[in-house]
């Protein structure tokens, strides 16, 4: 199958996306064998616009987007692909591109979408041309990239946050084991695996048996002397009402390693929080930038003991 376009750009053209859509629409919900797909491509009436090879390349694009899965020597469309096939062509091809970029994000996308802004100078010209061919309206092209950037940021933050939480769990266990409390170390739990609505991620006792509820924030910010992180209203409300709540900050360094920055109470965050300006609007999540000097070193366990 022809992959020559991938060597020069990461964005398929409108022609290639349309070929993928045509390939998707010949798939049976129960799946097709490779041989039956070739026959279907050969017989599909496209007015000479698409060759069988183009449709095969389109099918490969569907596989790369994880919209087709192999099952018992058959190519089976996912429910998402079946739904997509019922949409108008322009909507369907745009969604195909989104699915592909989520599975195979181009490197330039991370440099192109920064702080709610699209920096087109960081998008290779070949990719700009392909996007313009797909979406003539400049505002829609920008909205597409912004949406993709937010989706990838959310996935990256989720993975980064999970690593940070596991790191803090291990630090709490090490703290308690070093103080001859293996019984308490064994009880340290990452409760965010059960629910992300509790307002904290990790629960751990200190050596006195006092229970701590720890919200973990993992940042890769390069800001000198500051800790940047997102916090939800629910986390703030829980922290304000719970004297056992604290926020522990972890930094992911450039080599991928993690570093404990320190901890703070909910009260110390209050001056940095936004205010609701009217009964009709309430903030739900905010990005804070807090001086690292406002964080006490180490863990909140046994602090002051």
């Amino acid at each position: 199958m022809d992959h020559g376009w991938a060597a020069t750009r990461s964005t398929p053209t409108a022609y290639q996306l349309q070929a993928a859509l045509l390939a998707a629409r010949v798939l049976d919900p129960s799946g097709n064998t490779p041989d039956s797909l070739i026959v279907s491509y050969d017989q599909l009436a496209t007015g000479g616009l698409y060759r069988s090879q183009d449709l095969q390349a389109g099918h490969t694009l569907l596989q790369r987007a994880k919209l087709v899965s192999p099952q018992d020597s058959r190519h089976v469309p996912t429910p998402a692909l079946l739904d997509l096939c019922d949409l108008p062509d322009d909507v369907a091809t745009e969604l195909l591109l989104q699915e592909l970029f989520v599975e195979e994000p181009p490197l330039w996308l991370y440099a192109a979408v920064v702080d709610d802004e699209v920096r087109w100078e960081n998008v290779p010209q070949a990719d700009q041309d392909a996007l313009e061919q797909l979406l003539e309206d400049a505002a829609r092209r920008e909205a597409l990239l912004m949406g993709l950037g937010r989706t990838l940021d959310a996935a990256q933050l989720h993975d980064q946050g999970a690593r940070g939480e596991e790191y803090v769990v291990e630090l709490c266990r090490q703290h308690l084991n070093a103080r001859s409390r293996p019984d308490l170390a064994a009880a340290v739990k990452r409760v965010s695996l059960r629910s992300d609505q509790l307002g904290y991620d990790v629960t751990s006792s200190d050596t006195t048996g006092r229970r701590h509820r720890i919200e973990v924030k993992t940042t890769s910010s390069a800001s000198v002397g500051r800790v940047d992180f997102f916090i939800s209203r629910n986390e703030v409300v829980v922290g304000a009402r719970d004297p056992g709540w604290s926020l522990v900050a972890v930094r992911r360094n450039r080599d991928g390693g993690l570093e404990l920055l320190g901890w703070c109470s909910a009260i110390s965050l209050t001056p940095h929080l936004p205010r609701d300006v009217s009964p009709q609007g309430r903030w739900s999540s905010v990005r804070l930038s807090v001086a690292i000097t406002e964080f006490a070193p180490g863990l909140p366990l046994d602090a002051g003991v």
Side-chain angles (χ1 to χ4, degrees), residues 7 26 39-40 46 97 103 116 174 199 233 237 253 256 279 300 302 304:
V26 304
V39 172
S40 297
T46 67
L97 180 61
E103 290 298 328
D116 293 331
Q174 290 175 9
R233 190 185 193 103
V237 169
N253 296 318
D302 296 309

Side-chain angles (χ1 to χ4, degrees), residues 142-221:
E142 188 152 316
L144 172 67
L145 292 189
M146 290 293 298
L148 286 167
R150 284 191 291 269
T151 298
L152 295 174
D153 281 347
Q156 189 175 52
L157 286 172
H158 180 272
D159 292 343
Q160 178 175 282
R163 284 191 61 211
E165 291 169 19
E166 290 291 350
Y167 177 69
V168 170
V169 165
E170 185 57 31
L171 289 180
C172 290
R173 288 173 177 164
Q174 290 175 9
H175 175 93
L176 294 166
N177 280 323
R179 289 158 179 78
S180 302
R181 294 305 305 267
D183 55 326
L184 296 177
V188 178
K189 299 295 182 184
R190 183 182 162 204
V191 296
S192 61
L193 292 173
R194 296 281 183 174
S195 172
D196 59 359
Q197 298 301 312
L198 295 174
Y200 59 95
D201 303 309
V202 174
T203 178
S204 172
S205 295
D206 58 27
T207 56
T208 69
R210 178 180 178 236
R211 177 70 63 182
H212 292 259
R213 283 159 289 277
I214 300 171
E215 174 63 30
V216 181
K217 296 300 180 184
T218 307
T219 179
S220 57
S221 171

Side-chain angles (χ1 to χ4, degrees), residues 40-291:
S40 297
Y41 298 153
D42 289 338
Q43 295 177 347
L44 187 65
T46 67
L49 293 176
Y50 297 90
R51 302 167 300 164
S52 178
Q53 296 94 319
D54 298 325
L55 300 176
Q56 291 178 50
H59 182 81
T60 298
L61 192 151
L62 296 175
Q63 291 177 300
R64 289 171 49 201
K66 303 295 178 62
L67 292 170
V68 175
S69 59
Q71 298 180 20
D72 300 325
S73 301
R74 300 177 71 83
H75 295 261
V76 181
T78 65
L81 181 57
L82 294 175
D83 290 341
L84 187 147
C85 287
D86 292 331
L87 297 172
D89 286 7
D90 60 334
V91 178
T93 52
E94 186 175 339
L95 288 174
L96 274 176
L97 180 61
Q98 290 185 26
E99 294 286 347
L100 180 63
F101 272 15
V102 168
E103 290 298 328
E104 298 182 358
L107 292 178
W108 55 258
L109 186 58
Y110 296 98
V113 181
V114 180
D115 295 333
D116 293 331
E117 178 186 358
V118 177
R119 300 181 180 178
W120 287 103
E121 66 272 16
N122 293 332
V123 182
Q125 188 60 51
D127 294 277
Q128 290 191 44
D129 293 343
L131 288 167
E132 186 173 351
Q133 186 185 65
L134 177 66
L135 297 170
E136 293 183 1
D137 183 74
R140 287 188 62 199
R141 290 197 299 276
E142 188 152 316
L144 172 67
L145 292 189
M146 290 293 298
L148 286 167
R150 284 191 291 269
T151 298
L152 295 174
D153 281 347
Q156 189 175 52
L157 286 172
H158 180 272
D159 292 343
Q160 178 175 282
R163 284 191 61 211
E165 291 169 19
E166 290 291 350
Y167 177 69
V168 170
V169 165
E170 185 57 31
L171 289 180
C172 290
R173 288 173 177 164
Q174 290 175 9
H175 175 93
L176 294 166
N177 280 323
R179 289 158 179 78
S180 302
R181 294 305 305 267
D183 55 326
L184 296 177
V188 178
K189 299 295 182 184
R190 183 182 162 204
V191 296
S192 61
L193 292 173
R194 296 281 183 174
S195 172
D196 59 359
Q197 298 301 312
L198 295 174
Y200 59 95
D201 303 309
V202 174
T203 178
S204 172
S205 295
D206 58 27
T207 56
T208 69
R210 178 180 178 236
R211 177 70 63 182
H212 292 259
R213 283 159 289 277
I214 300 171
E215 174 63 30
V216 181
K217 296 300 180 184
T218 307
T219 179
S220 57
S221 171
S223 300
V224 177
R226 307 195 71 81
V227 182
D228 297 346
F229 57 90
F230 288 92
I231 192 165
S232 71
R233 190 185 193 103
N234 180 56
E235 291 161 354
V236 168
V237 169
V238 170
R241 295 174 179 174
D242 183 357
W245 186 97
S246 56
L247 185 148
V248 169
V250 173
R251 179 163 56 208
R252 181 175 64 85
N253 296 318
R254 290 184 178 180
D255 62 0
L258 298 177
E259 173 190 2
L260 177 65
L261 296 177
W263 67 278
C264 68
S265 66
I267 294 176
S268 65
L269 296 176
T270 302
H272 304 286
L273 297 173
R275 296 178 181 271
D276 296 328
V277 296
S278 75
Q280 288 74 41
R282 288 161 55 89
W283 71 270
S284 60
S285 179
V286 64
R287 180 175 181 173
L288 300 182
S289 181
V290 180

